[in-house]
Amino acid sequence: MGLEKYLPDGIILTTVEKAVNWSRKSSLWPLGFGLACCAIEMMSTFASRYDLARFGMEVMRPSPRQADLMIVAGRLSVRMAPIIRQLYDQMPNPKYVISMGACASCGGIFNNYAIVQGVDRVIPVDVYVPGCPPRPEQLIDGIMKLRAKIEKEKLKSDA
Amino acid sequence: MMTSIVEEKLRKEYSDKILDISTFRGDLNVVIKPGDVIEICRFLKTEPDLKFNFLSCITAADYLGKREIRFEVVYILFSIPNRKRIILKTRVNEGEEIPTLASLWRTADWQEREVFDMFGIRFAGHPNLKRILMDDDWVGYPQRKDFPLTYEVPHFSHNKGEIDTRDKAPWRGDNDG
Amino acid sequence: MAKPETMTINMGPQHPATHGVLRIELDLEGETIIDARPIIGYLHTGIEKNMEAKTYTQALTMTDRMDYLAPMSNNLVYVGAIEKLMEVEVPPRAEYVRVIMTELTRLASHLVWLGTHAIDIGAMSMLLYCFREREKIVQMYEFVSGVRMMSSYFRVGGLAQDIPPGFDKRVKDILGTFPAKIAEYEGLLTNNRIWRNRTIGVGTISAEAAIDAGLSGPNLRGSGVAWDIRKSNPYSYYDRFEFDIPTGKNGDVYDRYKVRLEEMRQSLRIIGQAVGGIPEGPYITTDRKIALPPKNEVLQGMEQLIHQFKIVVHGFTPPKGDVYFAIESPKGEIGCYLVSDGTKKPYRVHFRPPSFVNISALPKLVIGRMVADVIACIGSIDIVLGEIDR
């Protein structure tokens, strides 16, 4: 914008929407919700080689009331389904869900009586990451897509 | 050989109670009646030469349509000092009860609960016979052969809208399936 | 003075001690535990029933997902049960590679145990160190099979494919760096006052109570019982390698920690002996009713083409009968009870999970102690929920 060259150094102009989205996407706090094997790959992604702290996700909150990203890593069994719904309801807005792995996205290799065929039957999902288990690079790619999605969000009041 | 010592002792003491005894792939398999399980297990555990002091596993198999007696409960015992394994089997029909081994080994508690949960075989005298892997109000016994694996069929474009059997699973208690 | 009442609290399925979805109901009087009831089943997957619907080789991929920290151990017990039933000879090259990969698996599993156990007690940097070492082992998995975790590398009669060239060099690199890392972990924890205060005398179990409860593996060896299936009923060429079985004295959390650290050193010893002399030869049995023939022969010969077709489309059929085969997994005795009715699909498969039996002994370890000791005890038992619930 032409206005910026009349302002002193170090001041930029932007919209509230862009600033809010930028701060939301840069400091997502994940809820540690590892269920099964994908949880180990998620822990590897948080470890030192594929460091997730560089994306602002340093703190992994154990309590849902303080987290805004739930990474459902692993197979969701029928017995666990009400609990994940309760956890999702306890998270404050704005909240995002990444479904990590084939079992969370669609039931995976287990098409039987005990596994919910896809976690999106119980909670709404933003990004699906396939794989069994997905490599850490795939999970990071899913997180980058989520950040791109957050960047395009419109500012609206959650009345 | 250790296997023949065990076989000899069992034949001597309990020749009337053993239905079948054989060696298959190096392991001794003994078939007994359900009522004699506690007595023979106590004999195997306390006899000085045998000392089968470790209960590895209690499991069951469903032979629906293949055998007269439907279920077979399998006990696998191991002797730590003698390093030998023995497999005991009993056969029960639906509705019959087997006495529990929880008084001899504490580990039998959870293993028998799992057999009850998956097959519906009750154990008489068990301290806490409840479901362990499934929900408490689950209907049906999943590992039986007449319990279906699933009622869901993946939807492709050629059968989209045709089959939606998600609501008809009997374990949801909806209707008789 | 008010009389203390019993309070029941729930350590719910979602809690940060990263061991999975385990729920424990604790009855407390003040802060002392009167009763503890572990409740499992929140990850029940129906693996055993699902395996009855697949052929033997397809069902092998499901065994990886049970104990997902030591996937090759599960593969080995399932494949070993089928080989025992069918009386298949495994060639020496495959047996050596199986030993090396299984011991690397044991290292990987103990590393995750150490990282999560230490972070539960409070030593946060141990998690990052252990996962850094685990990356090397996971890259070995990827080197031989292409997959980081769920490799399904073993097949009935041998391996899925031959080891690539450069395998022994990479394994020797790992052997070169690991002893220093284990010494680093010992230096951080073993004589640390906080670690000793939180682990010595906590969660004690005597040898008789441990055998009665069905404990196996490092949990039993920590109480002084020197039983290791690799020594007592050896499988897969373990009787050709020299290694010791570490045992503890008191049966508390500290002894189990020392036993597992020493087991890591013994695993390195076994790998060192095996990698020096991997024999040449076929990597899978030459019985063409069970194993696929090499690809160049399939493309040229008629008989091999027919064998390939029959095995891939139909699968092999073991004889009728049932067997039980047990190995020493990093967590204890894992066994596979396999019933075959002569068709290409297993009739009944049951896995005896070590963690299922080990966690049932938790009440005995924690009754009379404080709430914080529950976390230390769960960590020292080393459970994997995928195996408990199957």
Side-chain angles (χ1 to χ4, degrees):
Chain A
M1 217 87 64
L3 197 54
E4 274 173 341
K5 55 181 194 213
Y6 299 112
L7 295 171
D9 261 343
I11 298 185
I12 53 171
L13 299 180
T14 179
T15 64
V16 175
E17 197 175 86
K18 279 202 193 126
V20 163
N21 284 345
W22 170 75
S23 64
R24 274 184 187 161
K25 83 170 193 216
S26 308
S27 79
L28 286 168
W29 283 5
L31 170 70
F33 195 57
L35 292 166
C37 353
C38 284
I40 308 296
E41 285 293 62
M42 187 170 70
M43 278 156 63
S44 285
T45 318
F46 278 93
S48 40
R49 189 177 162 98
Y50 304 99
D51 189 15
L52 265 190
R54 51 193 164 138
F55 298 110
M57 301 168 74
E58 172 94 43
V59 279
M60 206 177 190
R61 284 302 184 197
S63 159
R65 301 249 183 230
Q66 297 167 359
D68 48 4
L69 168 68
M70 181 196 272
I71 305 184
V72 183
R75 45 194 189 249
L76 183 71
S77 82
V78 170
R79 195 168 176 187
M80 191 70 187
I83 297 169
I84 192 177
R85 181 76 217 183
Q86 196 177 18
L87 284 171
Y88 180 76
D89 290 336
Q90 281 181 324
M91 284 165 68
N93 272 331
K95 49 193 171 187
Y96 309 99
V97 174
I98 292 183
S99 143
M100 174 183 179
C103 296
S105 307
C106 67
I109 62 175
F110 303 111
N111 183 11
N112 55 25
Y113 60 91
I115 293 287
V116 175
Q117 302 293 301
V119 98
D120 53 359
R121 291 196 181 180
V122 182
I123 57 179
V125 173
D126 290 302
V127 174
Y128 300 86
V129 180
C132 193
R135 286 189 63 111
E137 288 100 333
Q138 281 180 277
L139 179 61
I140 294 178
D141 184 47
I143 291 177
M144 303 302 283
K145 288 201 164 39
L146 179 67
R147 285 162 62 108
K149 186 174 177 184
I150 297 176
E151 215 173 331
K152 296 199 212 78
E153 269 185 358
K154 297 270 171 270
L155 200 63
K156 58 186 188 305
S157 67
D158 296 307
Chain B
M1 274 293 299
M2 182 68 195
T3 317
S4 50
I5 300 178
V6 182
E7 201 174 332
E8 255 176 55
K9 281 201 167 246
L10 276 175
R11 277 197 207 273
K12 208 170 61 155
E13 290 281 331
Y14 293 101
S15 55
D16 50 334
K17 303 212 167 153
I18 295 182
L19 300 175
D20 184 30
I21 186 165
S22 64
T23 307
F24 183 68
R25 302 288 188 266
D27 286 328
L28 190 66
N29 290 21
V30 183
V31 184
I32 53 181
K33 287 206 280 280
D36 304 324
V37 161
I38 294 192
E39 197 186 331
I40 296 188
C41 283
R42 185 174 290 127
F43 171 70
L44 288 169
K45 182 178 179 184
T46 50
E47 184 73 12
D49 308 335
L50 302 181
K51 284 201 112 5
F52 283 97
N53 54 354
F54 189 77
L55 175 63
S56 273
C57 179
I58 302 179
T59 182
D62 179 5
Y63 292 95
L64 178 68
K66 293 193 189 256
R67 286 193 191 168
E68 283 274 334
I69 308 185
R70 185 176 176 182
F71 295 112
E72 181 173 82
V73 179
V74 179
Y75 300 86
I76 301 176
L77 303 173
F78 184 76
S79 164
I80 296 183
N82 298 328
R83 306 183 295 175
K84 206 62 195 161
R85 200 164 267 130
I86 186 173
I87 303 181
L88 291 171
K89 299 179 184 170
T90 65
R91 307 208 167 132
V92 282
N93 259 325
E94 186 167 347
E96 289 173 18
E97 289 197 354
I98 310 183
T100 178
L101 283 186
S103 50
L104 285 176
W105 285 285
R106 192 184 290 264
T107 175
D109 187 341
W110 274 34
Q111 308 250 19
E112 289 175 350
R113 271 177 77 181
E114 189 196 334
V115 170
F116 165 66
D117 191 5
M118 291 285 122
F119 288 92
I121 302 173
R122 301 198 72 91
F123 289 86
H126 194 276
N128 186 20
L129 197 66
K130 282 190 338 202
R131 286 195 182 265
I132 190 170
L133 291 176
M134 311 302 303
D135 255 325
D136 286 330
D137 51 357
W138 189 269
V139 169
Y141 299 105
Q143 201 75 256
R144 289 189 178 185
K145 287 290 178 185
D146 48 0
F147 189 93
L149 181 63
T150 181
Y151 265 77
E152 305 218 12
V153 172
H155 284 185
F156 300 103
S157 48
H158 66 90
N159 65 354
K160 186 172 179 169
E162 267 179 25
I163 320 163
D164 193 355
T165 53
R166 279 182 281 182
D167 303 323
K168 294 198 178 53
W171 57 85
R172 289 204 185 91
D174 286 345
N175 49 10
D176 43 337
Chain C
M1 275 292 278
K3 206 160 70 92
E5 290 179 351
T6 313
M7 178 172 67
T8 307
I9 66 169
N10 177 39
M11 285 176 65
Q14 189 260 344
H15 65 84
T18 22
H19 291 287
V21 282
L22 172 68
R23 176 172 161 213
I24 307 181
E25 275 183 11
L26 295 168
D27 288 339
L28 301 176
E29 207 176 84
E31 188 134 339
T32 319
I33 299 176
I34 314 177
D35 193 16
R37 289 179 293 278
I39 299 173
I40 59 173
Y42 289 95
L43 198 58
H44 178 62
T45 322
I47 286 184
E48 294 180 353
K49 192 165 175 85
N50 215 344
M51 282 170 85
E52 294 173 15
K54 299 190 184 291
T55 65
Y56 282 95
T57 314
Q58 287 171 339
L60 172 68
T61 57
M62 295 197 142
T63 59
D64 281 310
R65 273 93 185 154
M66 285 192 321
D67 177 2
Y68 37 82
L69 296 175
M72 289 210 184
S73 284
N74 306 357
N75 289 349
L76 183 60
V77 73
Y78 176 69
V79 160
I82 303 177
E83 286 167 1
K84 185 173 174 178
L85 180 62
M86 296 178 77
E87 292 181 312
V88 175
E89 265 299 319
V90 182
R93 186 176 172 87
E95 292 279 32
Y96 268 72
V97 175
R98 276 187 184 180
V99 166
I100 296 175
M101 297 312 292
T102 313
E103 291 305 313
L104 280 176
T105 308
R106 192 180 310 271
L107 274 177
S109 172
H110 283 334
L111 280 170
V112 176
W113 158 78
L114 184 59
T116 50
H117 184 38
I119 195 175
D120 286 345
I121 293 191
M124 292 183 73
S125 40
M126 285 303 295
L127 183 73
L128 296 172
Y129 292 157
C130 291
F131 269 80
R132 177 190 64 189
E133 302 338 317
R134 188 175 170 266
E135 279 294 320
K136 298 198 184 86
I137 298 182
V138 161
Q139 280 169 4
M140 268 323 286
Y141 271 43
E142 199 185 358
F143 186 67
V144 296
S145 66
V147 186
R148 275 168 64 103
M149 267 166 73
M150 314 297 177
S151 58
S152 297
Y153 184 50
F154 301 152
R155 292 280 184 274
V156 175
L159 310 169
Q161 55 190 15
D162 204 357
I163 50 176
F167 176 75
D168 36 357
K169 180 176 169 316
R170 281 181 77 136
V171 174
K172 285 184 181 140
D173 283 340
I174 294 183
L175 289 180
T177 57
F178 247 89
K181 302 288 187 217
I182 302 182
E184 185 185 334
Y185 305 149
E186 277 230 82
L188 279 174
L189 293 176
T190 305
N191 290 323
N192 188 330
R193 241 184 314 171
I194 304 177
W195 186 262
R196 290 171 77 97
N197 273 337
R198 280 210 63 176
T199 57
I200 292 187
V202 171
T204 344
I205 188 165
S206 66
E208 295 84 37
I211 297 180
D212 191 40
L215 294 181
S216 52
N219 299 316
L220 187 62
R221 293 198 277 279
S223 301
V225 181
W227 172 45
D228 188 326
I229 300 186
R230 295 175 290 172
K231 286 270 195 207
S232 73
N233 305 62
Y235 51 92
S236 189
Y237 283 27
Y238 271 102
D239 42 0
R240 298 188 189 191
F241 301 115
E242 272 186 36
F243 57 100
D244 302 320
I245 310 177
T247 52
K249 281 197 298 291
N250 306 324
D252 54 11
V253 171
Y254 188 74
D255 275 351
R256 292 195 274 273
Y257 152 80
K258 296 282 293 179
V259 162
R260 286 194 178 99
L261 271 187
E262 189 57 37
E263 270 187 18
M264 284 164 63
R265 291 202 183 91
Q266 296 299 319
S267 284
L268 289 173
R269 200 170 149 196
I270 299 177
I271 300 176
Q273 291 169 45
V275 80
I278 303 179
E280 298 296 325
Y283 61 90
I284 198 168
T285 177
T286 45
D287 184 353
R288 292 289 164 238
K289 297 274 187 300
I290 305 171
L292 292 174
K295 204 65 175 179
N296 53 346
E297 288 180 27
V298 168
L299 293 171
Q300 290 172 355
M302 192 59 190
E303 193 189 323
Q304 286 86 347
L305 183 65
I306 298 177
H307 281 308
Q308 159 108 358
F309 185 75
K310 288 230 38 131
I311 291 176
V312 170
V313 171
H314 191 255
F316 55 82
T317 56
K320 284 196 198 183
D322 51 316
V323 287
Y324 179 77
F325 181 70
I327 68 166
E328 179 83 18
S329 93
K331 307 199 158 51
E333 173 197 349
I334 185 169
C336 175
Y337 176 68
L338 179 71
V339 177
S340 153
D341 61 344
T343 61
K344 63 178 178 168
K345 299 184 181 177
Y347 190 75
R348 165 90 173 115
V349 184
H350 173 74
F351 290 92
R352 184 257 187 214
S355 308
F356 181 79
V357 183
N358 292 349
I359 196 71
S360 68
L362 182 71
K364 214 150 165 37
L365 295 178
V366 301
I367 287 184
R369 305 215 55 100
M370 310 274 196
V371 175
D373 298 329
V374 176
I375 306 289
C377 289
I378 298 176
S380 85
I381 297 180
D382 190 13
I383 55 170
V384 175
L385 260 295
E387 185 176 62
I388 295 180
D389 289 340
R390 274 161 286 131

